[in-house]
Amino acid sequence: SDVCSSDLVDEDAESYEGSTDFTANDLNGSKDAYSATFITLSGDTATVSGSGAYTYDGSVYISNAGYYVLSGKLNDGQIVVDAYQSSKIWILLDDVDIYCSDDAAIRINQADKVFLTLGEDSVNTLESGEEYSDDALSDGAGGTIFSHDDLTINGSGSLSITAGYKHGIDANDSLHITGGDISISCPQDGIHVNDEFNFKDAGLTIAAGDDAVHSDTSIYVESGAILVTGCYEGLEAVTITMAGGNVTIYGFGFDHRWF
């Protein structure tokens, strides 16, 4: 069963049509590790202690709802979430270093919503190669983090994303960032989102070859700081709302700052 709120209204469900910028789970970057599954990455393989995940061919697959704690290094592999459509999945990154040469380092194939938490004082690194496999390309993968479903990044640790191919984070649905210190370097968009991008209480630094942040619908910044050290276009969306925070953009031949 899913590890999620027992509220009668599930604001994290994809089917929820109410109005909220951030849910309680979005803002909770410190969940109890009780009954978590612990995954230790060890170069070319990994070990799983608990249920809901397994290893195959140098990668880790998460197939059930629940709470997972990851640590260690993968030389050339990925974390793949492929669970039920109703699954809520929490993944705590606790000093993780993942390189994937031909696909996303973290790939979300299916879930209801995934919460990627940066553990306190943790230093996490994700990197992808310059050429993706035919399978990755046919699925539309375009980021070092690639998600078909709603994704939240929270917590208080750091995350460095280096994309060799296209985008840093590529999300087909919504992306909420509510914590952590995140840096992205990429040849195209730092963040490319098909649905809404909501941001608060985090630090985000982007060096992009095209858009720093692109959303097909809306960008909402409530607090925190976004620094774009290089880009062709800064923030691009149908609607951009600056409710607070600090956004500084240095582009190719221009600079702009919002407070």
Side-chain angles (χ1 to χ4, degrees):
S1 62
D2 287 355
V3 181
C4 61
S5 171
S6 61
D7 292 344
L8 295 177
V9 176
D10 183 1
E11 294 182 338
D12 291 300
E14 283 196 76
S15 59
Y16 177 70
E17 297 181 352
S19 176
T20 181
D21 294 319
F22 304 98
T23 69
N25 283 324
D26 285 340
L27 302 175
N28 182 9
S30 58
K31 291 186 66 63
D32 190 350
Y34 175 72
S35 75
T37 293
F38 288 84
I39 301 170
T40 303
L41 313 177
S42 305
D44 297 327
T45 186
T47 57
V48 176
S49 178
S51 61
Y54 63 94
T55 63
Y56 175 75
D57 196 24
S59 293
V60 175
Y61 293 80
I62 296 174
S63 57
N64 288 327
Y67 184 42
Y68 301 83
V69 179
L70 272 66
S71 62
K73 179 177 181 179
L74 274 185
N75 293 334
D76 192 355
Q78 60 182 171
I79 308 301
V80 180
V81 175
D82 201 351
Y84 294 107
Q85 289 183 337
S86 60
S87 296
K88 305 289 193 307
I89 294 172
W90 285 264
I91 301 173
L92 175 70
L93 300 184
D94 188 16
D95 293 328
V96 163
D97 186 348
I98 302 172
Y99 173 75
C100 188
S101 60
D102 61 358
D103 200 345
I106 295 180
R107 162 185 275 276
I108 300 166
N109 288 337
Q110 182 172 279
D112 189 20
K113 191 170 185 178
V114 174
F115 302 88
L116 194 63
T117 298
L118 310 178
E120 184 177 2
D121 298 325
S122 67
V123 178
N124 305 285
T125 302
L126 304 176
E127 183 176 357
S128 58
E130 296 181 1
E131 296 184 9
Y132 277 18
S133 68
D134 290 341
D135 287 344
L137 294 175
S138 66
D139 190 43
T144 302
I145 296 177
F146 174 64
S147 180
H148 281 294
D149 294 296
D150 292 336
L151 173 65
T152 291
I153 300 176
N154 58 24
S156 58
S158 70
L159 174 62
S160 174
I161 298 172
T162 303
Y165 172 73
K166 292 187 75 170
H167 315 311
I169 301 175
D170 184 13
N172 286 352
D173 282 351
S174 69
L175 172 64
H176 293 178
I177 296 178
T178 66
D181 186 5
I182 302 165
S183 63
I184 299 174
S185 176
C186 59
Q188 292 192 24
D189 298 349
I191 293 174
H192 187 97
V193 183
N194 290 357
D195 207 334
E196 68 185 19
F197 172 68
N198 292 356
F199 180 88
K200 71 175 294 183
D201 293 344
L204 176 61
T205 302
I206 298 175
D210 196 2
D211 300 343
V213 180
H214 170 93
S215 168
D216 287 350
T217 59
S218 64
I219 294 172
Y220 173 77
V221 178
E222 182 171 307
S223 60
I226 299 175
L227 170 63
V228 180
T229 60
C231 67
Y232 182 73
E233 294 178 314
L235 309 184
E236 183 179 53
V238 176
T239 302
I240 298 175
T241 302
M242 297 296 303
N246 187 330
V247 178
T248 303
I249 299 172
Y250 296 95
F252 305 140
F254 75 93
D255 65 85
H256 199 92
R257 179 172 295 176
W258 288 282
F259 294 98

